[in-house]
Amino acid sequence: MAEIVELGERPYVALRGKVAMGGIPAFADRLRDVVDWLAAREIAPNDAPFFKYDVVDMEAGLVLEIGFPVDDLHSGEGEIVTGVLPAGRYATATHHGHPDGLMAATRDLLAWAEEKGLEWDAYGDRWTARLEIYRSDPREVPDLNDWDTDLQFKLKD
């Protein structure tokens, strides 16, 4: 069930790229680049990994960041970027099941917000913070059908 939550600022480190819809799995495999970058600097993630959809354009491609929240703001280098997920109100929902079901879960969250008359913090296809947070560790939950993924989409203040 969808709900609205208030979240504080969250610094993060991520890999940024432009990706076609079909290229998301290959891009996701590069999360290891972020893990290695953090480890080399002795920076520990403080929560689960996420996908941040900065631009959602099904035809031209997606601009994505995959990364981790961390305690403090850092400086990125190369393809590694840093930033802060903004504080504010977020529409949230949890999807239990294979990541293939996330498109339907996203449609449901978007429809729920529309029914409630909520406005996204977005400008056209550019989003301030549209997140998929992967709560299940594949080493502990190898069956993708048992994964839990939180959707967190920032609402206009």
Side-chain angles (χ1 to χ4, degrees):
M1 188 69 193
E3 64 179 335
I4 297 171
V5 299
E6 189 81 29
L7 296 171
E9 284 188 341
R10 297 167 283 171
Y12 69 89
V13 174
L15 175 71
R16 183 177 175 89
K18 185 170 182 178
V19 183
M21 278 298 288
I24 293 174
F27 188 66
D29 287 343
R30 296 198 56 209
L31 187 61
R32 185 79 209 164
D33 296 351
V34 182
V35 170
D36 292 345
W37 190 93
L38 290 168
R41 288 153 186 81
E42 298 181 349
I43 301 168
N46 65 19
D47 203 355
F50 64 81
F51 282 22
K52 180 175 176 275
Y53 292 80
D54 293 333
V55 178
V56 179
D57 185 329
M58 299 301 193
E59 293 176 19
L62 307 168
V63 177
L64 285 177
E65 295 179 8
I66 54 173
F68 294 89
V70 294
D71 290 336
D72 301 303
L73 186 59
H74 298 274
S75 295
E77 59 186 295
E79 292 179 289
I80 301 293
V81 298
T82 61
V84 176
L85 300 171
R89 294 178 321 127
Y90 286 74
T92 69
T94 298
H95 168 70
H96 178 78
H98 197 286
D100 287 350
L102 285 168
M103 282 187 72
T106 295
R107 265 194 313 273
D108 291 347
L109 183 59
L110 294 171
W112 175 84
E114 186 174 334
E115 287 172 15
K116 300 277 185 204
L118 302 171
E119 287 186 67
W120 301 116
D121 194 349
Y123 305 93
D125 57 6
R126 299 181 181 282
W127 289 73
T128 300
R130 179 174 167 163
L131 305 167
E132 294 173 355
I133 301 171
Y134 290 83
R135 297 289 177 198
S136 301
D137 184 333
R139 296 168 297 191
E140 297 170 10
V141 185
D143 185 349
L144 293 154
N145 295 304
D146 289 331
W147 279 20
D148 287 318
T149 307
D150 293 341
L151 301 177
Q152 294 180 352
F153 295 4
K154 187 165 183 320
L155 296 167
K156 246 184 202 166
D157 294 324

